[in-house]
Amino acid sequence: MKERQGLYPCENVRDIFVFIQGYSENVTENDTDFANFKGFNNFVINYFKNNSTHPNWSSLINFYSSSGKESFDKFFELLEKFRAK
């Protein structure tokens, strides 16, 4: 998605969240790409050391970003860190 931004209608972290939510409604339990995403919400909460009332990783990333573009970039930065753990 990051390398092929033109193929996806995502300009900020909220757009990514909506895209992933829609995708998750149609995946099977055997989908390894989506299975590798489990735990990302807790990772983002721990990364920002924030136990506030933000309902999901998207809201938290958006809160700590100054623009939609920054939130988009921050999502992929955190996703890389999450996958590296």
Side-chain angles (χ1 to χ4, degrees):
M1 184 182 284
K2 184 178 180 183
E3 290 81 21
R4 297 179 172 181
Q5 263 185 281
L7 294 176
Y8 302 94
C10 299
E11 297 179 1
N12 57 54
V13 73
R14 176 72 68 207
D15 294 343
I16 295 170
F17 180 77
V18 170
F19 181 85
I20 290 172
Q21 287 297 106
Y23 177 78
S24 70
E25 294 294 322
N26 295 300
V27 296
T28 66
E29 291 181 17
N30 298 326
D31 188 321
T32 56
D33 286 337
F34 192 71
N36 292 335
F37 196 71
K38 291 183 179 176
F40 184 66
N41 194 62
N42 288 336
F43 175 82
V44 172
I45 289 169
N46 291 332
Y47 176 84
F48 287 113
K49 297 175 177 58
N50 187 310
N51 291 323
S52 69
T53 59
H54 292 283
N56 55 54
W57 55 264
S58 169
S59 295
L60 203 50
I61 293 171
N62 193 54
F63 179 77
Y64 285 102
S65 300
S66 61
S67 69
K69 171 74 171 122
E70 183 181 341
S71 71
F72 183 92
D73 294 338
K74 181 58 101 177
F75 166 77
F76 286 104
E77 175 188 326
L78 292 174
L79 185 60
E80 287 177 24
K81 290 180 180 186
F82 173 71
R83 288 181 171 167
K85 69 172 183 91

